[in-house]
């Protein structure tokens, strides 16, 4: 896989405070990479250094195979797109005019029509920006980051405050970007967003990367046990219940914690057949990225 960004041992100090304590990041072409961390972990510092908005401290940053010295140079800026957490548009401009304005900043900009089509706001092209919904505004913000046809797009919390439908439309756009071969560097506080969108995730805490992997592997390694909850049509005898290993009985409700949900379920089905126990209301509770987060950082995403 082609590496588009490599960060090695990146450090950053604010006075005596060390906000980044030597972090490594690898970003590959065509992936959606999630960068997660609790408040104050160092996400904004990292991302803004990469975007060229803050000065790096020690460490090495290599974009597209070129080592960067000091501030992110213009040839890199030509190949990246940045969507900040909040974008304010001039409300006396129409959607198409906003895109034309951003396109005018670049030598080789895409045509505004093409960009409008990409982010699917054709029907709003001639509207003023203050008439846009939250989801449409965010799609326009992403559009402004696409005018230079970037290889990497940095998205900072792209769905904050959006209703579920608008959020889904932004997710679809992010998936479309990936499909067209672009790389997305996404910071988010929403675990569900990271879990559904990201190919790989790095979790940063107190200026250090504490884990990097696919969401599935992170959950397997750090998510803890799964739970099987069920009831029985009639309460089995104590000796029958005792055949089940590590079961918790709360009133008429049963709970088994397991590392291997498939084997445990198979065992449960066999047990129910063997003892003619009818199982009802069965549900599976699997660990999520939220559990991974708690294990690794001891904190929720928003403390
Ligand atoms: P959040 O999720 O709250 O936005 P974050 O992970 O983006 O947090 P940063 O904004 O990178 O975290 O901040 C990392 C640490 O560096 C925090 O302790 C913050 O207080 C500190 N910090 C950030 N910017 C500065 C600055 N300009 N001067 C001094 N300290 C700073």
């Amino acid at each position: 896989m082609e590496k588009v960004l490599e960060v090695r041992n990146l450090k950053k100090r604010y006075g005596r405070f060390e906000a980044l304590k030597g972090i490594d990041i690898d970003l590959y072409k065509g992936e959606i990479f999630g960068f997660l961390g609790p408040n104050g972990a160092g996400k904004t510092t990292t991302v803004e250094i990469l975007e060229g908005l803050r000065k790096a401290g020690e460490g090495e940053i290599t974009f597209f195979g070129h080592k960067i010295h000091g501030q992110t140079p213009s040839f890199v800026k030509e190949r990246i797109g940045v969507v900040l957490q909040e974008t304010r548009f001039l409300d006396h401009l129409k959607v198409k005019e906003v895109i034309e304005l951003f396109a005018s900043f670049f030598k080789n900009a895409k045509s505004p029509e093409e960009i409008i089509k990409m982010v699917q706001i054709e029907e709003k092209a001639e509207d003023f920006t203050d008439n846009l919904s939250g989801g449409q505004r965010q799609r326009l913000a992403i559009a402004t980051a696409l005018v230079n046809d970037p290889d990497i797009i940095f998205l900072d919390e792209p769905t904050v405050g959006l209703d579920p439908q608008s959020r889904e439309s932004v997710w679809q756009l992010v998936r479309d970007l990936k499909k067209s071969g672009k790389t997305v560097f996404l910071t988010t506080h929403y675990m569900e967003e990271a879990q559904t969108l990201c190919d790989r995730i790095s979790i940063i805490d107190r200026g250090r990367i504490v884990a990097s992997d696919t969401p599935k592997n992170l959950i397997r390694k750090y998510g803890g046990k799964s739970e099987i909850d069920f009831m029985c049509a009639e309460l089995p005898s104590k000796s029958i219940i005792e055949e089940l290993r590590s079961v918790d009985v709360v009133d008429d409700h049963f709970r088994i914690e397991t590392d291997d949900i498939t084997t445990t379920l198979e065992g449960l089905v066999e047990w129910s057949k063997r003892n003619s126990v009818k199982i009802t209301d069965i549900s599976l509770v699997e660990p999520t990225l939220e559990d991974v987060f708690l294990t690794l950082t001891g904190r929720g995403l928003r403390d």
Side-chain angles (χ1 to χ4, degrees):
M1 272 200 297
E2 186 186 330
K3 210 181 261 189
V4 288
L5 171 67
E6 186 178 277
V7 176
R8 288 291 174 267
N9 200 26
L10 181 64
K11 295 182 181 173
K12 173 76 179 174
R13 285 186 166 279
Y14 296 113
R16 293 174 62 187
F17 176 69
E18 197 170 28
L20 297 180
K21 300 187 176 88
I23 65 164
D24 294 348
I25 296 175
D26 294 296
L27 195 61
Y28 297 94
K29 181 174 161 56
E31 73 172 345
I32 303 176
F33 173 80
F35 197 47
L36 311 184
N39 293 136
K43 299 181 297 295
T44 309
T45 300
T46 306
V47 171
E48 291 194 354
I49 288 172
L50 298 177
E51 293 167 349
L53 301 173
R54 287 191 205 196
K55 243 179 119 198
E58 280 173 51
E60 272 182 11
I61 300 174
T62 308
F63 266 108
F64 312 111
H66 300 275
K67 214 168 268 180
I68 302 307
H69 301 285
Q71 209 84 358
T72 303
S74 55
F75 87 88
V76 170
K77 288 185 181 164
E78 295 265 339
R79 294 184 64 181
I80 64 174
V82 175
V83 183
L84 302 174
Q85 208 172 100
E86 200 182 340
T87 312
R88 289 187 179 275
F89 303 110
L90 296 168
D91 35 5
H92 61 273
L93 286 186
K94 293 180 178 173
V95 165
K96 193 174 168 202
E97 291 168 343
V98 170
I99 297 175
E100 283 168 349
L101 175 68
F102 276 79
S104 71
F105 302 150
F106 292 94
K107 275 185 286 192
N108 300 312
K110 281 195 147 198
S111 84
E113 289 75 20
E114 206 178 333
I115 298 290
I116 285 169
K117 200 162 162 233
M118 256 174 102
V119 302
Q120 294 172 17
I121 44 174
E122 292 101 319
E123 79 282 12
K124 293 283 167 188
E126 296 302 329
D127 281 26
F128 289 104
T129 56
D130 54 355
N131 292 333
L132 299 181
S133 70
Q136 288 162 344
R137 289 184 79 78
Q138 193 56 335
R139 294 219 295 278
L140 176 57
I142 296 175
T144 61
L146 296 177
V147 289
N148 54 329
D149 196 17
D151 294 301
I152 305 176
I153 297 127
F154 290 91
L155 294 177
D156 190 5
E157 306 232 13
T159 61
V160 166
L162 296 187
D163 59 83
Q165 203 186 343
S166 306
R167 196 178 58 168
E168 185 51 54
S169 79
V170 171
W171 286 0
Q172 196 46 52
L173 179 52
V174 173
R175 290 190 191 103
D176 290 344
L177 292 175
K178 174 187 158 80
K179 248 187 245 160
S180 67
K182 310 234 175 266
T183 308
V184 177
F185 189 120
L186 172 86
T187 56
T188 180
H189 273 101
Y190 296 134
M191 289 287 115
E192 192 198 345
E193 180 158 289
Q195 207 163 326
T196 46
L197 277 186
C198 296
D199 298 303
R200 285 188 316 115
I201 287 172
S202 282
I203 296 179
I204 181 170
D205 188 29
R206 298 183 179 94
R208 289 185 205 284
I209 304 276
V210 291
S212 295
D213 214 324
T214 62
K216 248 195 187 145
N217 284 345
L218 287 174
I219 290 169
R220 208 166 20 228
K221 279 193 221 160
Y222 306 106
K225 292 181 186 301
S226 304
E227 279 174 18
I228 303 172
D229 285 298
F230 61 97
M231 292 172 81
C232 298
E234 283 178 32
L235 202 60
S237 70
K238 198 165 171 253
S239 61
I240 291 179
I241 294 173
E242 276 169 2
E243 281 183 33
L244 287 173
R245 264 174 293 142
S246 60
V247 67
D248 283 326
V249 189
V250 185
D251 302 326
D252 56 352
H253 202 87
F254 298 82
R255 174 171 300 158
I256 301 176
E257 285 195 340
T258 175
D259 287 321
D260 181 352
I261 207 154
T262 315
T263 309
T264 309
L265 261 182
E266 282 167 1
L268 186 62
V269 171
E270 271 169 31
W271 169 84
S272 76
K273 280 189 191 152
R274 196 168 57 241
N275 295 297
S276 306
V277 174
K278 190 172 178 344
I279 292 179
T280 59
D281 294 313
I282 192 159
S283 62
L284 309 179
V285 184
E286 297 209 65
T288 63
L289 270 184
E290 194 76 52
D291 300 303
V292 172
F293 215 81
L294 277 173
T295 308
L296 288 171
T297 70
R299 295 183 274 172
L301 256 186
R302 284 192 194 279
D303 272 0

